[in-house]
Structures are given as structure tokens and as C-alpha cells.
């Protein structure tokens, strides 16, 4: 799970030209849910967002107070594009949780936020809708949060991609049968020159 948390002076969400949600000073949270996320990652993210110290205290000391300490609002917006993996220049979203499953998970996330804080101070956009999100970033202050499990998954994915690339390079370096024959001409008396031996070699090659 990934979240982009922005400290804002104000923020709002508009759908079809109509403003459906807005907050004053507080946090705007863009949330990307991974295919592998569980209740554990959800609870981790809720704790991090609500306890993130990005506000000043009464004496003006920075990085001292959380959104809960200041009793500010939180605007959450579901954003699957945070789970993007680039394939060259093309975005790939196969790591994002499927829509139906993600909607239930996102609603659970909002519910946990409201339980841990004050329900009336938690606002959200419209899941799955085409939204315009208006953010007046205060600072600017932008913090990227990532659940531990999501970090491991990305590292594993990168490792698998590198392994696949090595395999592809290895395949391109394997000489063809015709080039092996040119480099190693067979003697007519060589038993390995029989059609049976050739059959064995060809059966080992990938189609």
C-alpha cells in the first residue's frame, strides 16, 4: 500500500463539475492499494497517517504535531495509479488491487480512520469516478508512505524482472544447430551423427 500525504491549507474533490467534498487545513491523502495488501497493511497505514507529525506546535516549532493533535481534517482519495510500474514509458497497473475488491478495502480503510479519529473530520472523494482534485499544498509538504509488505513485494518484483532479463540474454547467446554444425563438422563414422542423436538434441531445444 502506498500513500502520498500532503499538508494542505485546503483541498476539494469535484466530480462532473460538482464539488462533492472539501476540507480546510489538514491532510490530503492519495491512496494506492496493492494486490497483496491485507488488514495488517491497512492498519499500519491508518496509524502512520494519523500520527504523522507535519504541523507546528503552539510555540511555532515545526514537525511537532499530528493531524489529530491539531484536530484538523483529512481528505482521502483512492488513486490506483500509485501502483504503476513502468514498462519502458508505458504504465502497467497489474500490481493494483482489482476494482471490486479494492472498493471494499478502501471503504474499510475509511472506516478504520473514522474509528481511530473523529468521523466528521474524515472526508473522501468518489471511488472509481473521474475526479478533479484541487490541492492547496501548504509548504509545500509532501510525504510518501509505503507499507512494509508493499516494499518487499516491489523488491521481489524487481528481482524477478532482472532474472527474466538474464534468461532472455542467455537464450540469445545459445548458438543455433546450423552454426554448431558449421563449427563442428561431423565425421561420417561418428556414431553421434545418427538421426537418433539429432533427435535428442532437437528435443532439448525450446520451441
Amino acid at each position: 500500500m502506498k500513500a502520498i500525504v500532503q499538508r494542505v491549507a485546503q483541498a476539494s474533490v469535484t466530480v462532473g463539475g460538482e464539488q462533492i467534498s472539501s476540507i480546510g487545513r489538514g491532510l490530503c491523502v492519495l491512496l494506492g492499494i496493492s494486490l497483496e495488501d491485507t488488514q495488517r497493511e491497512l492498519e499500519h497505514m491508518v496509524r502512520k497517517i494519523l500520527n504523522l507529525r507535519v504541523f507546528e506546535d503552539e510555540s511555532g516549532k515545526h514537525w511537532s504535531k499530528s493531524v489529530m493533535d491539531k484536530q484538523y481534517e483529512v481528505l482521502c482519495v483512492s488513486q490506483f495509479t500509485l501502483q504503476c510500474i513502468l514498462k519502458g514509458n508505458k504504465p502497467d497497473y497489474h500490481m493494483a488491487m482489482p476494482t471490486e475488491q479494492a472498493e471494499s478495502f478502501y471503504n474499510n480503510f475509511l472506516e478504520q480512520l473514522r474509528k481511530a479519529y473523529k468521523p466528521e473530520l474524515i472526508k473522501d472523494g468518489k471511488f472509481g469516478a473521474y475526479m478533479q482534485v484541487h490541492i492547496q499544498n501548504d509548504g509545500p509538504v509532501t510525504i510518501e508512505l509505503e507499507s512494509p509488505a508493499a516494499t518487499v513485494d516491489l523488491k521481489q518484483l524487481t528481482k524477478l524482472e532482472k532474472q527474466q532479463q538474464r534468461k532472455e540474454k542467455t537464450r540469445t547467446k545459445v548458438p543455433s544447430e546450423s552454426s554448431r554444425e558449421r563449427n563442428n563438422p561431423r565425421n561420417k563414422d561418428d556414431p553421434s551423427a545418427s538421426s537418433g542423436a539429432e533427435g535428442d538434441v532437437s528435443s532439448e531445444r525450446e520451441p
Side-chain angles (χ1 to χ4, degrees), residues 1 3 5 27 29 31 38-53 66-69 74 109 112-117 145-148:
M1 185 182 294
V5 181
L27 298 177
V29 179
L31 187 75
T38 66
Q39 186 69 20
R40 180 182 176 184
E41 285 74 54
L42 185 153
E43 293 172 356
H44 170 89
M45 193 61 73
V46 167
R47 288 194 303 271
K48 283 292 184 182
I49 290 169
L50 293 179
N51 291 286
L52 191 63
R53 295 189 296 177
S66 69
V67 70
M68 290 197 299
D69 293 330
V74 180
F109 170 79
Q112 295 303 315
L113 273 178
R114 290 174 175 135
K115 283 182 178 180
Y117 191 23
L145 299 178
E146 192 168 355
S147 63

Side-chain angles (χ1 to χ4, degrees), residues 33-95:
I33 304 170
S34 163
L35 184 65
E36 302 297 329
D37 284 331
T38 66
Q39 186 69 20
R40 180 182 176 184
E41 285 74 54
L42 185 153
E43 293 172 356
H44 170 89
M45 193 61 73
V46 167
R47 288 194 303 271
K48 283 292 184 182
I49 290 169
L50 293 179
N51 291 286
L52 191 63
R53 295 189 296 177
V54 294
F55 299 99
E56 70 279 357
D57 64 13
E58 293 72 16
S59 65
K61 183 181 178 181
H62 296 292
W63 320 114
S64 300
K65 297 294 182 178
S66 69
V67 70
M68 290 197 299
D69 293 330
K70 302 294 285 186
Q71 296 293 289
Y72 289 154
E73 296 174 290
V74 180
L75 174 62
C76 297
V77 179
S78 175
Q79 189 172 354
F80 74 92
T81 58
L82 285 176
Q83 293 296 336
C84 165
I85 296 174
L86 287 179
K87 302 293 186 181
N89 292 319
K90 182 180 179 181
D92 183 286
Y93 301 111
H94 75 272
M95 284 298 293

